[in-house]
Amino acid sequence: MKKKSFRYALIISLAILLVSTAFLLLEMWEKRQGEFSAAGFLDTTMEYKGQEYVLKDNVETFLVLGLDKFEGVLTNDSYNNDQQADFLLLLVFDNEKKQCEAIQINRDTMANMSVLGVAGQKIDTVNKQIALAHTYGNGKEVSCRNTADAVSELLLGVNIDHYISLTMDAVPVLNDLVGGVEVTLLEDFTDVDAAMVKGKTVTLKGEQALHYVRTRYGLEDSSNSARMERQKQYIQALYEQSMQRVSQDEEFLVEATVKLADHMVSDRSVNRLQELAEKFAAYEFKGVNSIEGELVLGEEFMEFYPNEDAIKETVVNLFYE
């Protein structure tokens, strides 16, 4: 009888220990969601065109990646994946001025990035299209962080505080959540949808939105630069439509975050993503910045070489005063 009692007590103690450990690990995981940062090395002062600038104190960055796969986020732990970042946008929050601006980064931008080993450790550095930085890693957090590091180095050492990646099938979901997005079509898409005639003003619905921001091949101008112009136009219109929905429905941001959860990977928990979305809605959005450069045909693919002065000007304007 004593042996049985002792055995039951031991089992109960182990169960309590396991449950307690699980809650502790969960708490630690939640705390770590806000701890990611692609460590930057921006100088506290920078000289540009004969003027000295001082680094701002209260700036926060959020990297948004659009992945060119549709099956959702990966669930394996392989360090070799084929999910390229077709879309890269760095949101820059100025918490003093209550403003937000964005830097759109050409996916073909030639940049230094880390090659990762099977355990996620850095084993080499290569210079390739920045979209490929995401292919080094597990297709989830490690790949996002590797991309964030590449973006940080490209932008002279800007801190990347947070990130989120979304598979491209999230575009129709978000588009329809806001009730559709109105744009004047910059290209002719009648091969995929008869209603999408160049120059026509339409409210994009469902797959139309995905075609508009993703399609390149088969168009009059199939360059990524032309696609970026459409993406910039769409982002501005999406922002304006989203703000209308936020003003009409207090639960919209919560609903949007939940609906997109299956399509995304982020260093932020769902609650903290909602907080960030609320900040974005409250701040004045100053628009999307692009970095000028030269687009050339490499040995196999297009390569974009950003203008060094354009990079410095963008960094100075958004991170210094």
Side-chain angles (χ1 to χ4, degrees), residues 80-280:
N80 182 19
N81 76 91
D82 62 353
Q83 290 191 327
Q84 299 181 23
D86 255 8
F87 173 80
L88 300 97
L89 189 77
L90 184 65
L91 296 174
V92 182
F93 294 90
D94 187 325
N95 294 317
E96 293 293 332
K97 295 181 179 180
K98 308 298 182 187
Q99 294 176 344
C100 178
E101 287 191 63
I103 304 173
Q104 187 180 23
I105 300 170
N106 191 319
R107 68 163 325 271
D108 295 324
T109 299
M110 300 301 289
N112 293 328
M113 63 194 69
S114 297
V115 178
L116 305 178
V118 293
Q121 79 280 18
K122 179 179 176 180
I123 59 174
D124 198 2
T125 300
V126 293
N127 186 268
K128 292 184 176 181
Q129 289 90 342
I130 200 166
L132 299 175
H134 191 273
T135 66
Y136 298 107
N138 61 356
K140 298 181 286 185
E141 293 85 355
V142 177
S143 295
C144 289
R145 292 173 181 177
N146 199 49
T147 307
D149 286 337
V151 171
S152 175
E153 181 168 346
L154 174 70
L155 299 179
L156 309 181
V158 164
N159 281 332
I160 310 298
D161 297 307
H162 308 293
Y163 64 79
I164 183 173
S165 69
L166 292 160
T167 50
M168 294 302 286
D169 51 0
V171 173
V173 177
L174 181 57
N175 183 88
D176 291 355
L177 273 172
V178 302
V181 175
E182 183 179 275
V183 296
T184 299
L185 301 176
L186 300 178
E187 296 284 347
D188 188 273
F189 289 83
T190 51
D191 281 349
V192 293
D193 191 316
M196 298 179 69
V197 180
K198 182 177 180 179
K200 183 178 179 181
T201 299
V202 299
T203 298
L204 300 173
K205 297 286 188 179
E207 295 297 313
Q208 289 180 327
L210 183 58
H211 289 313
Y212 195 65
V213 301
R214 186 175 187 270
T215 301
R216 276 200 295 169
Y217 303 110
L219 300 180
E220 183 179 357
D221 187 344
S222 61
S223 69
N224 188 56
S225 297
R227 179 170 64 176
M228 287 176 66
E229 286 301 313
R230 298 197 307 272
Q231 290 172 347
K232 183 187 295 187
Q233 176 201 32
Y234 180 81
I235 290 168
Q236 185 65 47
L238 175 64
Y239 167 77
E240 294 170 1
Q241 184 66 16
S242 298
M243 292 307 98
Q244 288 185 23
R245 284 299 313 274
V246 169
S247 65
Q248 296 166 359
D249 182 4
E250 293 181 355
E251 298 300 317
F252 172 73
L253 292 176
V254 176
E255 180 186 0
T257 307
V258 171
K259 286 284 182 66
L260 294 173
D262 289 340
H263 304 273
M264 69 186 185
V265 170
S266 179
D267 68 308
R268 308 249 76 185
S269 65
V270 171
N271 287 339
R272 290 182 174 178
L273 281 173
Q274 290 171 4
E275 291 172 4
L276 192 66
E278 289 168 3
K279 177 189 286 191
F280 183 69

